Amino acid sequence: MTVRVRFAPSPTGRLHLGNVRAALLNWLFARKSNGRFLLRLDDTDKERSRPEFATAIEDDLRWLGISWDEFARQSDRLDRYEAAAEKLKADGRLYACFETPEELKLRRFGQIADGGAQVYDRAALRLTERQVADYAAEGRRPHWRFRLEHAETGWEDLIRGRCAYHGTKLSDPVLVRADGMPTYTLASVVDDVEFAVSHVVRGEDHVTNTAVQIQIFEALGQAAGELKFAHFPLISDIGGHSLSKRLGSLSIENLRNDGIEPSSITSLIARLGTSDPIEVMEKPADLVDGFSFSKFGRASPKLDPDEIVRINAKLVHRLPFSAVADRLPAGADAAFWESVRPNLSKVGDAVEWWSIARSAVMPINAEPDFLTEAARLLPPEPWSADTWGAWTKALGASTGRKGKELFLPLRLALTAREHGPEMKSLMPMIGRSRTLARLEGRKA
RNA sequence: GUCCCCAUCGUCUAGAGGCCCAGGACGGCACCCUCUCACGGUGCAGACCGGGGUUCGAAUCCCCGUGGGGACGCCA
């Protein structure tokens, strides 16, 4: 059996860490199994779906390095859902309901007050033909619910193990809205059938849906057990609470604007909550080997936003010049990149060191006497990687200083920073005239 | 409120009754390297949510409690 999976976002917002995890895990599973990965836009909600979000989702996925083998849009397939709905009506599994959204809302409030289960009471099933005719005469358009089997529906989840729900604990789902549009619940199952999806991989916010979807799947004539499920736990914030409140700051758009590399995101997201260590991988394909649902735990992992930056720093320390050349300031070469790289946590931070090497810097000159002596001993050009060593050795001998006392004032004078890349590689880039001026406390 | 799930170092986890006075990774700390910092290397500290049971023996099984997550939409 060929593995076919799908990532099915609704274009009602940008991608964030939570969504992307679903996309990545599906993609990894497809790659691991030599299967196919389908991107499907679940845009049956006309009110909230927007084409610009669809475009943004595709852009974000491409940026992350997640590619898809097939593409579908639910709004292109409405005839398929209508055909399925007709079949279910013919089989007596879909029944017309006339409650307004307001009535349903009130009924739910009442159920909460009574402490009862918030399950649709199937009032529409008890409507007489006369009542139905009256509603029609009033001009009310029905919405359609799927009559659930009041039995236990279960499945063997690839992450959660045995799961089961009893039909009496579930509401008959609305499959067709009063305006005739299908809901996600119908469209999703129809697509899973027609695209021959083999595994549904998604967050555990969908577990309860699964029992319902299996019933619809069967009502559509599919054999139970043909579709496998894997529900992974949702990520929580560092305090252990739902991540949803801070999704904005964890949107892919935001992380990208912050200078985070796509691989830092995929490296973290693919391994978080698994028994594999979180390692820096240069591309998503490097995460395929060893990927397995059996390595996922059932508890919600906490995500520390600092972790993303730490991973990014490690990644940047390894990136070759060729991978970043087009993002460095004009003129920056491989030698520059390799000398500043170990001190960066983001590629963009390189510009700061480029300007320290090539533009005017106001030095921090706390010890003029010492720096005057340093200027006196400054070797003539040409300078190399050995110049710093020779210079500081001579300066140490002449002043009796060593260690931090010797080196820190020089670093402050030459770069105006306490920390930074190795001075021996920075110094030739700064050059003698600029160095001399900075030692004398002049901006240069 | 009802239903489902979860609970081991700060974090991600290993652990399916004796192999565990609990192992690994990240972070932290210390030391080394070196030209201060960073990078790199080595080492150290650090946890079984609480209470009852079952058992010769429980991190592991059962019950209760507590804490957390999810679901209960004419959203997906």
Side-chain angles (χ1 to χ4, degrees):
Chain A
M1 178 197 64
T2 27
V3 164
R4 293 170 74 90
V5 294
R6 39 70 160 189
F7 172 54
S10 63
T12 54
R14 298 288 302 242
L15 245 34
H16 52 76
L17 252 26
N19 290 338
V20 161
R21 189 143 173 266
L24 220 211
L25 300 186
N26 272 287
W27 186 87
L28 288 170
F29 180 63
R31 286 300 201 87
K32 175 74 182 178
S33 332
N34 287 314
R36 294 178 67 78
F37 176 73
L38 162 73
L39 172 63
R40 188 182 80 204
L41 294 174
D42 283 8
D43 57 353
T44 54
D45 185 343
K46 286 188 297 190
E47 305 292 303
R48 301 193 304 151
S49 296
R50 305 261 289 278
E52 55 270 35
F53 285 131
T55 312
I57 286 169
E58 293 182 46
D59 289 346
D60 285 343
L61 287 175
R62 281 193 204 95
W63 179 72
L64 287 162
I66 298 172
S67 52
W68 49 96
D69 305 307
E70 288 171 61
F71 176 84
R73 188 183 280 115
Q74 289 192 328
S75 54
D76 291 340
R77 298 175 37 78
L78 298 178
D79 54 331
R80 307 303 312 149
Y81 312 133
E82 201 179 322
E86 288 311 316
K87 172 183 163 47
L88 294 174
K89 280 180 198 171
D91 293 345
R93 293 302 296 275
L94 229 46
Y95 60 95
C97 300
F98 293 88
E99 296 92 342
T100 63
E102 293 70 32
E103 284 168 349
L104 291 171
K105 203 171 180 178
L106 279 173
R107 199 173 301 179
R108 273 196 295 273
F109 283 141
Q111 287 169 331
I112 292 171
D114 297 346
Q118 292 176 63
V119 170
Y120 177 63
D121 60 8
R122 292 188 160 173
L125 233 31
R126 296 186 297 270
L127 253 29
T128 61
E129 280 183 37
R130 178 61 185 270
Q131 286 171 303
V132 172
D134 286 349
Y135 278 133
E138 274 176 45
R140 280 212 202 187
R141 305 290 310 150
H143 57 279
W144 299 78
R145 287 187 192 260
F146 178 75
R147 187 172 47 75
L148 286 173
E149 217 85 73
H150 275 184
E152 191 165 89
T153 306
W155 71 97
E156 201 63 43
D157 196 281
L158 265 33
I159 292 173
R160 297 165 66 88
R162 185 71 205 169
C163 297
Y165 287 87
H166 198 94
T168 48
K169 298 286 195 296
L170 273 12
S171 280
D172 287 344
V174 173
L175 260 37
V176 180
R177 298 176 168 95
D179 67 1
M181 282 289 280
T183 60
Y184 151 84
T185 312
L186 206 218
S188 174
V189 176
V190 170
D191 286 341
D192 289 344
V193 169
E194 296 191 3
F195 286 91
V197 166
S198 64
H199 293 73
V200 174
V201 180
R202 59 200 345 183
E204 70 175 15
D205 49 338
H206 283 283
V207 266
T208 317
N209 289 336
T210 304
V212 169
Q213 286 169 4
I214 287 172
Q215 286 207 18
I216 299 172
F217 190 74
E218 288 173 345
L220 252 20
Q222 302 300 307
E226 216 153 82
L227 191 53
K228 307 277 184 230
F229 293 88
H231 291 94
F232 50 84
L234 266 20
I235 298 170
S236 64
D237 68 20
I238 198 65
H241 301 286
S242 164
L243 204 63
S244 54
K245 295 138 205 154
R246 29 180 331 166
L247 285 180
S249 63
L250 295 174
S251 72
I252 300 307
E253 178 185 32
N254 239 294
L255 293 166
R256 186 197 326 207
N257 290 341
D258 277 354
I260 300 296
E261 303 297 311
S263 298
S264 304
I265 298 169
T266 50
S267 294
L268 207 215
I269 264 354
R271 294 281 183 85
L272 185 71
T274 74
S275 51
D276 281 332
I278 292 166
E279 296 169 297
V280 179
M281 296 292 192
E282 276 151 48
K283 54 186 185 307
D286 298 338
L287 292 155
V288 172
D289 232 15
F291 176 84
S292 168
F293 290 129
S294 67
K295 292 178 177 173
F296 282 78
R298 295 221 261 169
S300 339
K302 301 187 184 78
L303 181 127
D304 181 357
D306 293 343
E307 182 92 6
I308 303 173
V309 179
R310 277 199 293 268
I311 291 170
N312 201 66
K314 286 200 175 184
L315 178 68
V316 168
H317 298 164
R318 287 188 354 196
L319 286 177
F321 175 66
S322 59
V324 297
D326 56 346
R327 288 188 281 161
L328 296 179
D333 57 8
F336 165 78
W337 172 246
E338 273 150 32
S339 59
V340 301
R341 181 174 68 169
N343 283 80
L344 307 179
S345 57
K346 291 168 185 174
V347 172
D349 296 343
V351 301
E352 183 184 342
W353 294 104
W354 183 250
S355 67
I356 284 167
R358 295 302 164 92
S359 316
V361 165
M362 187 61 208
I364 296 176
N365 196 325
E367 300 184 66
D369 295 345
F370 172 69
L371 295 175
T372 301
E373 176 65 0
R376 192 179 69 77
L377 293 173
L378 196 63
E381 285 186 306
W383 282 359
S384 70
D386 299 325
T387 308
W388 168 261
W391 180 43
T392 53
K393 197 174 171 192
L395 186 58
S398 127
T399 61
R401 293 191 184 210
K402 59 183 172 144
K404 186 176 182 176
E405 215 189 6
L406 171 64
F407 300 111
L408 191 54
L410 297 177
R411 175 178 287 282
L412 286 169
L414 298 199
T415 69
R417 300 282 187 284
E418 242 180 273
H419 316 293
E422 290 200 56
M423 290 303 298
K424 72 173 183 188
S425 52
L426 235 35
M427 205 177 163
M429 291 191 275
I430 295 171
R432 193 172 195 277
S433 65
R434 204 165 252 143
T435 297
L436 200 55
R438 290 179 191 175
L439 287 171
E440 288 164 358
R442 286 185 285 117
K443 183 173 178 177

